[in-house]
Amino acid sequence: MDTGLAPPAAQAAERLVDPFARAISYLRVSVTDRCDFRCVYCMSENMTFLPKAEILSLEELDRLCSAFVRMGVRKLRLTGGEPLVRRNVMSLVRNLGRHIEAGALDELTLTTNGSQLAKYAHELYQAGVRRINVSLDTLDPAKFTALTRWGKLDQVLDGLKAAKQAGLAVKINAVALKGGNDDEFDRLVAWSGDEGFDLVFIEVMPMGDIGGEARLDQYLPLSLVRANLAKNWTLDETDYRTGGPARYFTVRETGRRLGFITPLTHNFCESCNRVRLTCTGTLYMCLGQDDAADLRTPLRASSDDAALDDAIRSAIARKPKGHDFVIDRRHKAPAVARHMSVTGG
Ligand code: SAM
Ligand code: SF4
């Protein structure tokens, strides 16, 4: 089988390293900007989505991902928008699974809202996916519909059940929202423990206009969340790291991991190993900065990958040292104009 990969020696020689000596080993790919939910912190109610013509085909996405794998990326995460609402997305997942089989990729995973998991969990496992992140901010059905605007909690819980049955390890992502789910954190910890899921709390990030001063009202520093949880749970420090922004603890009472993603109260950039690709082929070298590289033009210009490889390398050479997200009364505007659904978090 042609894996689309260079021989191991060439792979090693071509590894992507940025100007701050950080090896780029993790690519997140937003496969669509569309979603079947409208979470209040992520999107406005009336979103304008990209015209279909601008969006890379599944074949083009595969070619781009494969170029990164050839240059040393070991972990691929599909995200969105909602990745599982993209038509025929499973053909992309199955095709990318060949890199796992060939040993060129350590992990193929995805971040999903869970609405389509009942349908796809088994197929995901068959394609080589072993772990998924599922976003779930509340266990209260009415609150769930209020926060997601269009979502139904039962559908997600069914999806989670299917994921467990399929053998997928699940990590729950919960955005901490002042006045939204801040009365449920203990319940989420207990429930995740019972279900055998890891749990990660995320601070609201200032991305994209969601209307008015909503962001300031939603922001809840995780230092506070952690201090409150520590009253009821024993949080043991761990050195578990994913190279990303999460700091992990083990909850002694449940034995599960509990992570905190704190872009605003703790800067995590020094260990950043990742870049993000949108569904139009735009590469963002930093979640919190606007600088980006157009990979669609070199991709479409030639069926040969030379120009694409050059474009990827020059983009990585511009990866900035870090971001500067701030939410306070003097900084009400989003730090970056795009919504989280563009780059998928
Ligand atoms: N639709 C999928 C989902 O919800 O998991 C994947 C895309 S979603 C943009 C990825 C993650 O970003 C979700 O866990 C979501 O809660 C989080 N997110 C969205 N907007 C955010 C924001 N402004 N600040 C922090 N996290 C955000
Ligand atoms: Fe959709 Fe995920 Fe954004 Fe919610 S967080 S609107 S599920 S993309």
Side-chain angles (χ1 to χ4, degrees):
M1 179 173 66
D2 177 12
T3 62
L5 296 169
Q11 275 180 50
E14 291 172 5
R15 282 174 61 85
L16 296 170
V17 178
D18 81 358
F20 304 95
R22 297 171 297 193
I24 305 307
S25 57
Y26 183 4
L27 177 68
R28 292 185 168 216
V29 186
S30 175
V31 300
T32 177
D33 62 331
R34 286 156 203 262
C35 187
D36 52 345
F37 291 0
R38 290 288 181 279
C39 301
V40 292
Y41 47 79
C42 178
M43 294 192 181
S44 63
E45 187 135 32
N46 302 306
M47 292 290 287
T48 310
F49 293 110
L50 292 161
K52 289 225 163 87
E54 284 197 26
I55 292 175
L56 297 183
S57 68
L58 294 173
E59 292 73 21
E60 288 173 321
L61 281 169
D62 183 285
R63 198 177 138 206
L64 260 178
C65 290
S66 300
F68 277 94
V69 171
R70 179 159 30 79
M71 291 186 228
V73 159
R74 302 292 309 180
K75 177 170 173 178
L76 273 179
R77 176 178 298 278
L78 305 184
T79 173
E82 174 46 42
L84 295 180
V85 301
R86 170 123 193 207
R87 187 177 308 163
N88 214 10
V89 70
M90 285 311 302
S91 71
L92 175 67
V93 180
R94 278 192 299 273
N95 283 336
L96 292 174
R98 76 187 184 280
H99 296 306
I100 298 264
E101 227 175 281
L105 196 60
D106 296 329
E107 186 167 30
L108 174 60
T109 182
L110 81 164
T111 301
T112 172
N113 65 23
S115 70
Q116 310 299 312
L117 266 182
K119 190 164 148 199
Y120 291 126
H122 187 62
E123 267 185 84
L124 286 168
Y125 190 91
Q126 282 183 321
V129 175
R130 291 294 175 266
R131 298 194 304 159
I132 56 173
N133 288 9
V134 180
S135 303
L136 180 65
D137 306 321
T138 171
L139 292 165
D140 177 300
K143 239 194 241 176
F144 185 86
T145 297
L147 280 176
T148 59
R149 293 197 184 101
W150 296 1
K152 299 256 184 305
L153 178 65
D154 276 352
Q155 205 179 333
V156 174
L157 295 180
D158 286 349
L160 284 167
K161 201 160 136 195
K164 269 214 288 198
Q165 278 166 357
L168 294 168
V170 173
K171 188 191 282 176
I172 301 291
N173 282 351
V175 176
L177 298 160
K178 186 156 67 171
N181 58 359
D182 47 359
D183 54 344
E184 279 193 79
F185 298 152
D186 286 302
R187 185 178 175 200
L188 280 166
V189 171
W191 171 80
S192 303
D194 289 345
E195 295 288 332
F197 301 149
D198 288 344
L199 172 64
V200 172
F201 287 111
I202 307 175
E203 266 173 5
V204 179
M205 288 179 250
M207 300 193 65
D209 187 9
I210 53 163
E213 291 191 14
R215 195 87 66 194
L216 186 60
D217 296 339
Q218 291 169 349
Y219 176 59
L220 183 61
L222 288 189
S223 45
L224 216 68
V225 175
R226 204 174 99 190
N228 280 332
L229 286 173
K231 292 177 191 159
N232 297 321
W233 307 92
T234 319
L235 306 183
D236 291 325
E237 302 254 2
T238 69
D239 52 10
Y240 177 77
R241 295 302 304 264
T242 60
R247 294 288 140 102
Y248 284 92
F249 296 79
T250 302
V251 183
R252 202 180 295 169
E253 291 81 359
T254 67
R256 304 303 314 183
R257 279 196 193 108
L258 177 63
F260 296 90
I261 300 189
T262 55
L264 297 158
T265 51
H266 180 92
N267 196 298
F268 51 82
C269 305
E270 69 281 355
S271 60
C272 184
N273 59 356
R274 60 202 59 194
V275 289
R276 295 172 166 85
L277 186 69
T278 73
C279 58
T280 59
T282 303
L283 187 75
Y284 284 94
M285 285 73 81
C286 173
L287 180 64
Q289 303 276 1
D290 281 324
D291 186 28
D294 166 30
L295 299 183
R296 186 176 59 186
T297 303
L299 180 81
R300 289 188 172 167
S302 158
S303 57
D304 178 88
D305 279 350
L308 175 63
D309 289 6
D310 282 351
I312 293 174
R313 284 186 192 291
S314 59
I316 300 301
R318 304 206 303 270
K319 185 169 160 65
K321 193 170 180 194
H323 66 71
D324 30 49
F325 285 138
V326 184
I327 297 183
D328 65 25
R329 301 214 166 260
R330 283 171 298 120
H331 299 83
K332 282 172 193 154
V336 288
R338 63 188 188 276
H339 288 88
M340 189 67 109
S341 50
V342 174
T343 42

